[in-house]
Amino acid sequence: MKNILNAGLVGLVLAFLSCKSPNYNAMLENNEPKLISDQFSFTEGPATDKTGNVYFTDQPNDKIYFWDWKTDKLSLFLDKTGRANGTYFDENDNLITCSDNEGEIWKIGKDKSVKVLSKGFEGKRLNGPNDLWLDGNGGIYFTDPLYKREYWQNFKVEIPEKNLYYRNKNGKISKLETFVQPNGIIGSVKLKKLYVSDIDAGKTYVYDILGDGKLSEKKLFCEMGSDGMTLDQDGNLYITGDGVTVFNTEGKKVHHIKIPEDWTGNVTFGGEKNDILFITASRSVYTLQTKTKGLK
């Protein structure tokens, strides 16, 4: 009778936990991240173009590479990138970069032409734009923490706060929020949500997007900071640091992808069907086939 009772209690507990477990079924069974290359110094800023190829930065070496999903090979795209870090493609397939050597934001065409979109804020040098997301209306949300680089020359702090900014389609920049150390950022036009990580505070926040550069009050999304971030088609948020950790729309942890590196810097979806996770991690880049797709 005791064994039957214990078994019944175990069954009830398991059923309860099962009911409470978030529904997440985006990963293929027994599928591990695939190492593409470990030839870099520090990889960052993956962004996917219209054809599914992924561009990413090797910031210490001041280079941008791209991964061709058709061949599964890497090629150099651009040398001398302004020390590009975070990147994102605009609607015309130009690569928009946080180029922190001079605290700038660049637009880089597929023909490798360069246009500086932003040099500072209110006449002052930015600390070093780190990551960005484009809202589909010509606007750019970007984070500006402070990570002093050894390659900066004659740098002095002109803006003591670490802020989230918005650059509208006409080039006007507005300060939106101050953080301890803002870093990863991602949004969704479809969901009208913006996620911003305060990495040193160990928190990630979510906003409702109310209009061009207009946000709701920030709401705590999860008690974990992130370097780079991405979203899948179901609104699950993928954040980085210790591998890749996935949170559902309610801010509950639902999955963890282990990456055999000291630090995982960023992640995005790419490939022909936008269903391959492309992961930048320290000296390496990895891919992981999934059953889901990235969300715009």
Side-chain angles (χ1 to χ4, degrees):
M1 185 69 175
K2 182 179 180 181
N3 289 338
I4 294 174
L5 180 61
N6 286 343
L9 288 172
V10 170
L12 287 172
V13 170
L14 290 175
F16 174 80
L17 291 175
S18 176
C19 290
K20 292 294 184 180
S21 297
N23 182 20
Y24 179 76
N25 187 31
M27 294 296 149
L28 298 166
E29 291 185 12
N30 303 317
N31 189 31
E32 299 294 330
K34 174 185 175 182
L35 176 66
I36 301 299
S37 177
D38 59 0
Q39 72 187 60
F40 309 102
S41 293
F42 192 83
T43 57
E44 252 290 6
T48 306
D49 70 8
K50 288 184 176 180
T51 65
N53 296 327
V54 177
Y55 289 64
F56 65 95
T57 65
D58 184 4
Q59 190 175 34
N61 292 318
D62 201 13
K63 299 180 188 298
I64 296 175
Y65 292 84
F66 72 95
W67 168 71
D68 186 330
W69 62 264
K70 297 189 189 98
T71 63
D72 204 21
K73 302 295 184 183
L74 301 177
S75 300
L76 177 67
F77 170 65
L78 187 66
D79 199 358
K80 306 301 181 186
T81 70
R83 302 284 183 174
N85 191 343
T87 73
Y88 205 86
F89 276 98
D90 70 11
E91 59 184 6
N92 296 315
D93 231 18
N94 298 300
L95 188 64
I96 312 301
T97 68
C98 290
S99 294
D100 74 17
N101 192 46
E102 298 290 340
E104 298 172 334
I105 294 176
W106 287 15
K107 179 171 72 173
I108 304 173
K110 286 293 183 68
D111 61 357
K112 303 182 183 180
S113 61
V114 172
K115 179 179 180 180
V116 178
L117 298 181
S118 170
K119 289 181 173 291
F121 174 65
E122 295 183 342
K124 299 176 182 179
R125 173 182 166 143
L126 293 165
N127 292 316
N130 184 275
D131 203 2
L132 58 112
W133 178 73
L134 279 61
D135 65 3
N137 294 319
I140 303 171
Y141 292 92
F142 67 93
T143 57
D144 185 50
L146 177 58
Y147 296 102
K148 291 185 179 180
R149 313 296 191 185
E150 61 181 17
Y151 50 77
W152 285 351
Q153 296 181 358
N154 303 317
F155 172 79
K156 65 177 182 179
V157 175
E158 298 182 23
I159 301 174
E161 302 89 8
K162 288 85 169 179
N163 299 319
L164 168 69
Y165 294 94
Y166 180 77
R167 179 190 185 275
N168 71 15
K169 61 184 178 182
N170 298 317
K172 178 180 170 57
I173 296 177
S174 303
K175 184 177 78 171
L176 302 181
E177 189 94 49
T178 298
F179 295 86
V180 177
Q181 188 80 317
N183 198 308
I185 184 170
I186 193 67
S188 168
V189 173
K190 180 180 179 181
L191 299 178
K192 296 183 179 180
K193 299 285 186 183
L194 182 74
Y195 296 85
V196 180
S197 163
D198 194 346
I199 193 168
D200 283 5
K203 300 179 188 298
T204 296
Y205 296 93
V206 61
Y207 299 84
D208 292 323
I209 299 174
L210 306 178
D212 293 349
K214 296 181 176 63
L215 301 173
S216 67
E217 291 294 319
K218 70 180 180 183
K219 178 183 177 183
L220 180 65
F221 179 73
C222 66
E223 296 276 359
M224 187 178 290
S226 182
D227 201 336
M229 305 189 288
T230 197
L231 290 160
D232 71 18
Q233 63 184 358
D234 297 313
N236 297 302
L237 183 69
Y238 296 63
I239 72 177
T240 58
D242 175 17
V244 180
T245 305
V246 186
F247 290 83
N248 69 5
T249 56
E250 298 174 355
K252 296 178 181 177
K253 179 180 174 180
V254 293
H255 191 69
H256 180 261
I257 302 168
K258 185 177 181 181
I259 303 294
E261 305 287 348
D262 293 336
W263 183 256
T264 299
N266 216 321
V267 61
T268 194
F269 282 91
E272 181 182 18
K273 299 179 180 179
N274 201 31
D275 59 356
I276 298 174
L277 271 181
F278 188 95
I279 303 158
T280 59
S282 302
R283 298 174 58 88
S284 308
V285 291
Y286 294 80
T287 59
L288 180 65
Q289 180 68 55
T290 74
K291 296 191 290 185
T292 188
K293 295 182 180 181
L295 178 67
K296 297 296 184 181

